[in-house]
Amino acid sequence: MKIKQTFVFASLILSGVALLSLSTILEGCKSKPAGAYTLTGNVIADGEHLVQIHCTKCHALVPADALTKDVWRMHSMPSMAHYFGIGTYGQSFYKQTSNETKDTTLISIVEWQAMVDYYQKIAPDTLTAAKKPSPLLNDWAGFTMKKSAANNNVTFTTMVAANPATGNIYTSDVVANTLTEWDSQLKVKAVTSLPSPAVHANFTKDASGADQAILSCIGRIDPVDFASGKIYSANLTGKLNAEEIAIDMPRPVQTLSVDLDKDGKNELIVLGQGFTKGGVFLIKLGANGKAQKQFTITDRPGAVQAVTEDFNKDGYPDLMVLFGSGDEGLSLFLNDKKGGFKSRELLHFPPVYGSTSFQLADIDHDGNLDLIYTCGYNFRDSRILKPYHGLYIYKNTGDYKFKQTWFYPINGATKAIAADFDKDGDLDIATIAFFADMKNNPAEEFIYFEQSKPMEFKAHAVPVSKYGRWMNMDVSDVNKDGKPDIILGNYASGFLFQPNLTPTWDEHQPFIVLQNEMKK
């Protein structure tokens, strides 16, 4: 794959999706022209065939039983209609004229109606909740809670991150647009302004060896095509301050620092999640530490997380990226040692999954890195609880070929982090769910999975749901006792997807720390 060069200070014609918001479909989605299939009059046969033809051109197939009849007709199909040159009015569909769409030959209204009728015929009225493989235990599981100093205003924490070198905690807030440093007593130590809220911090060293954080400032947190994101560098030694590195990014959600070309200088990899436009970008830095040149690794929007590692063991770092909207999936970008990458698709997921996080870890001790994966973003056009949302484990059978081996249903699962919390030699997993069933089962908002036997987990619902609504999480040894602690960030208001839900959690607590008190 060749990568295109642009200059960083040119205005990028790219755009965004929110920290949690991901597009339902890629812009420019094209299907086969009308007339490719002759309708037979059989609702199921016609609809199934047309869906296979048209809906898999841009993303993995969404099974009809993944959503209810009402959601298909009132939300999902109308949101897809304009990509096919179909207009909507209430529950009715009509063919747009050439003045309303660029191409009116994508699909006929008869074919479109056949697809709508198909979903109405075979989709269920309701979705049945998935059965949990083990009961949810309500206890503290060896953790104790420490609260941060409270905020007089409603808190909108978009990031919690602990510097592994010092244990210091840093947060950002979408209303205040600040980076806040907290002391060991979880009180505010220092604050500096940012152009927009930071959603990710990459802790590194600057040229002098001082601690710094590379911050991904998202710009607009709501899903819009507006490239107002910026990358900042925060000085963490001495007076807290932040300086601009790059501008005009399409809603950046993560920035990695890595020496891709083995020249002794680190480049930046930026995930521009975007909305209908976005991508993964490589930024070369000048001697002054500012962005000098920018390259596009892929213009695919919806990236939510990436890791760098030498996956093919050729001495050069590669990139693995999870995409969480539209064409959802896990992709591997292999470094070709010439300044470019060769892409390889590892997994595809339907766009109703809302992929949110992944981690590579050898959870079964066979020498291969397995995949720990969560899905559960639930603020697009199908805002209902989904039984396939949750925590997954995929076994690496070799050469990063993944096979699902374990699943625990969690409504709206947002992030999972694996670590040996109880120091017994195997990996446990902490999860948060921003789109949990806050009405009926708020306990699933934070679950600690203790691995008691190989690939067997005790699920502990640690009772912290009343203290906040956890959008973000980090794991670090905060108190330097040799055991990993858990930090939960509270985005207290907004993104409500359940009707008539009144918040019952604390809206003024920026974050809490679950201090690990387990015996070694």
Side-chain angles (χ1 to χ4, degrees):
M1 172 190 298
K2 293 183 179 180
I3 54 181
K4 302 176 182 178
Q5 178 178 344
T6 61
F7 289 93
V8 68
F9 297 110
S11 179
L12 302 179
I13 308 174
L14 299 167
S15 288
V17 181
L19 163 68
L20 287 164
S21 344
L22 306 169
S23 168
T24 46
I25 187 69
L26 301 179
E27 179 162 294
C29 178
K30 303 294 182 182
S31 55
K32 292 185 179 180
Y37 175 72
T38 301
L39 298 178
T40 66
N42 184 312
V43 172
I44 295 177
D46 287 343
E48 185 174 28
H49 191 84
L50 289 167
V51 165
Q52 287 282 358
I53 291 174
H54 296 294
C55 297
T56 59
K57 296 291 289 183
C58 297
H59 54 71
L61 180 68
V62 179
D65 60 1
L67 299 171
T68 64
K69 284 181 170 63
D70 288 345
V71 170
W72 275 117
R73 180 167 184 87
M74 299 299 295
H75 301 283
S76 295
M77 293 302 283
S79 74
M80 296 289 294
H82 72 281
Y83 292 103
F84 295 96
I86 302 296
T88 63
Y89 184 82
Q91 297 185 51
S92 302
F93 299 96
Y94 62 91
K95 190 66 184 177
Q96 293 179 315
T97 68
S98 57
N99 292 327
E100 295 173 300
T101 181
K102 292 180 180 179
D103 187 347
T104 59
T105 64
L106 295 177
I107 191 172
S108 71
I109 187 63
V110 175
E111 289 177 306
W112 176 260
Q113 193 60 52
M115 294 165 65
V116 173
D117 292 345
Y118 164 71
Y119 288 119
Q120 285 295 110
K121 181 75 172 179
I122 71 170
D125 293 322
T126 59
L127 300 184
T128 302
K131 184 178 180 181
K132 291 177 171 52
S134 60
L136 199 56
L137 307 173
N138 291 285
D139 59 26
W140 285 92
F143 293 97
T144 58
M145 183 179 65
K146 295 179 66 178
K147 295 182 181 180
S148 66
N151 194 331
N152 292 329
N153 301 314
V154 175
T155 185
F156 295 88
T157 305
T158 57
M159 179 191 79
V160 289
N163 185 349
T166 63
N168 292 345
I169 295 173
Y170 298 85
T171 65
S172 191
D173 185 282
V174 76
V175 174
N177 285 346
T178 53
L179 176 69
T180 302
E181 182 179 23
W182 302 79
D183 65 19
S184 59
Q185 301 303 310
L186 305 188
K187 295 181 179 179
V188 175
K189 181 180 179 181
V191 179
T192 190
S193 296
L194 295 173
S196 65
V199 297
H200 179 264
N202 182 9
F203 295 98
T204 63
K205 302 284 186 181
D206 65 15
S208 67
D211 285 340
Q212 70 170 356
I214 300 173
L215 304 172
S216 302
C217 299
I218 196 168
R220 292 279 295 271
I221 200 166
D222 51 324
V224 294
D225 279 328
F226 192 64
S228 59
K230 297 182 179 181
I231 309 302
Y232 264 53
S233 173
N235 171 39
L236 307 182
T237 303
K239 184 179 180 180
L240 184 67
N241 59 64
E243 296 183 355
E244 180 182 284
I245 295 178
I247 63 174
D248 296 337
M249 305 302 299
R251 302 187 60 260
V253 294
Q254 185 183 9
T255 303
L256 302 175
S257 177
V258 60
D259 185 3
L260 290 167
D261 53 10
K262 307 288 285 185
D263 66 350
K265 301 176 183 178
N266 279 15
E267 291 80 42
L268 299 183
I269 295 174
V270 179
L271 270 61
Q273 191 178 91
F275 179 40
T276 62
K277 300 174 183 178
V280 179
F281 309 101
L282 187 158
I283 295 178
K284 285 188 172 289
L285 304 175
N288 60 357
K290 308 291 186 182
Q292 187 176 59
K293 294 181 180 180
Q294 179 170 302
F295 304 85
T296 300
I297 297 175
T298 176
D299 60 3
R300 178 177 172 184
V304 294
Q305 188 184 348
V307 297
T308 57
E309 189 167 322
D310 183 7
F311 291 109
N312 59 358
K313 307 300 181 186
D314 66 352
Y316 280 72
D318 308 303
L319 182 66
M320 193 177 291
V321 183
L322 178 65
F323 294 87
S325 66
D327 187 16
E328 290 194 31
L330 187 67
S331 299
L332 178 61
F333 294 88
L334 295 173
N335 192 333
D336 68 4
K337 308 180 190 179
K338 301 175 183 178
F341 294 84
K342 297 179 180 178
S343 63
R344 171 184 159 194
E345 297 301 309
L346 303 179
L347 290 170
H348 278 284
F349 304 111
V352 290
Y353 269 40
S355 300
T356 47
S357 79
F358 79 103
Q359 183 178 348
L360 298 175
D362 185 7
I363 201 161
D364 57 6
H365 303 289
D366 68 350
N368 291 327
L369 293 175
D370 306 303
L371 174 66
I372 299 166
Y373 161 81
T374 60
C375 60
Y377 180 80
N378 210 6
F379 206 71
R380 293 199 282 271
D381 54 37
S382 57
R383 301 176 189 179
I384 58 173
L385 299 175
K386 301 177 174 72
Y388 38 85
H389 280 176
L391 171 65
Y392 291 77
I393 295 176
Y394 286 78
K395 178 179 174 58
N396 181 355
T397 60
D399 192 27
Y400 297 97
K401 296 177 181 177
F402 294 114
K403 179 181 179 182
Q404 183 186 326
T405 56
W406 191 82
F407 169 64
Y408 195 97
I410 306 172
N411 290 301
T414 302
K415 191 170 185 178
I417 299 178
D420 187 2
F421 289 98
D422 55 10
K423 297 298 182 181
D424 65 352
D426 56 25
L427 291 175
D428 314 296
I429 305 172
T431 65
I432 56 171
F434 186 66
F435 293 102
D437 183 358
M438 302 299 290
K439 273 188 173 182
N440 305 303
N441 190 21
E444 68 183 353
E445 189 183 358
F446 174 80
I447 302 176
Y448 165 65
F449 291 89
E450 172 196 358
Q451 189 170 186
S452 53
K453 297 179 182 178
M455 291 302 294
E456 291 187 16
F457 296 87
K458 294 180 181 178
H460 301 268
V462 179
V464 293
S465 62
K466 66 181 179 180
Y467 300 105
R469 187 177 176 211
W470 316 122
M471 177 186 274
N472 36 79
M473 170 175 64
D474 195 15
V475 169
S476 183
D477 184 5
V478 175
N479 59 356
K480 298 300 179 184
D481 66 350
K483 295 177 292 187
D485 307 302
I486 301 170
I487 313 163
L488 303 178
N490 179 19
Y491 194 101
S493 183
F495 291 105
L496 297 179
F497 73 107
Q498 291 177 294
N500 304 315
L501 174 65
T502 301
T504 57
W505 52 87
D506 188 342
E507 294 187 316
H508 304 281
Q509 191 71 52
F511 69 95
I512 64 171
V513 174
L514 293 177
Q515 188 166 292
N516 189 341
E517 305 288 358
M518 301 179 205
K519 303 297 182 181
K520 291 187 179 181

